Amino acid sequence: MGGGMAEQEQPVGLAVQIAEVRRILEVGLTDLRGQLALVLQRAEHGERRHEELVKVVADMRGTFNERLDELEKRVQGGELERAKVAGVVEWSKRKATGISLGIGAAGLVLGFVMKLLGVGA
């Protein structure tokens, strides 16, 4: 009868060990599910943040391009203005030269006329 008792304890011990393994597996699976949920939550947050940043970059790029276009127009306008000013300066030089020559010629003619008339001799 002593052997019968040991046989009864062995299935009970095995059942306890199986129950312990089952509990360990359930705890492990619960832990894995929790970690997976956290990873998925972080991934979703990362995707949302990525979408936000894509919009911010697109807005910044649009603003940058608008500002660049504005500056380009100002540079082109400045070049046009500079060309106009250079044209006016060149025209002014020609006029000044013409006026100087005219005044010099008038002085020469006036001196010649005065010489002929005997004025100032």
Side-chain angles (χ1 to χ4, degrees):
M1 288 218 171
M5 205 47 132
E7 288 176 13
Q8 287 179 351
E9 288 179 15
Q10 199 172 28
V12 171
L14 183 59
V16 169
Q17 289 176 352
I18 290 173
E20 179 65 18
V21 169
R22 177 177 284 172
R23 187 190 67 76
I24 291 170
L25 284 174
E26 287 175 1
V27 168
L29 286 174
T30 302
D31 186 43
L32 284 175
R33 285 185 188 122
Q35 290 177 8
L36 180 60
L38 182 60
V39 167
L40 289 174
Q41 183 182 17
R42 287 181 179 173
E44 289 170 357
H45 176 73
E47 288 175 6
R48 285 192 305 272
R49 185 67 180 136
H50 178 260
E51 290 171 4
E52 291 171 2
L53 291 174
V54 165
K55 290 177 184 175
V56 167
V57 168
D59 290 345
M60 289 175 78
R61 182 180 218 153
T63 301
F64 175 77
N65 285 337
E66 289 172 8
R67 180 72 174 135
L68 190 59
D69 290 343
E70 178 186 323
L71 291 173
E72 186 176 346
K73 287 177 185 175
R74 286 178 61 189
V75 166
Q76 289 173 351
E79 289 172 353
L80 180 61
E81 190 64 28
R82 188 174 58 191
K84 287 179 183 178
V85 168
V88 168
V89 167
E90 190 60 36
W91 176 82
S92 297
K93 286 179 182 178
R94 285 194 308 265
K95 284 294 182 186
T97 302
I99 290 171
S100 296
L101 289 174
I103 290 173
L108 184 63
V109 169
L110 185 58
F112 183 70
V113 168
M114 287 175 68
K115 181 85 167 168
L116 284 176
L117 295 176
V119 178

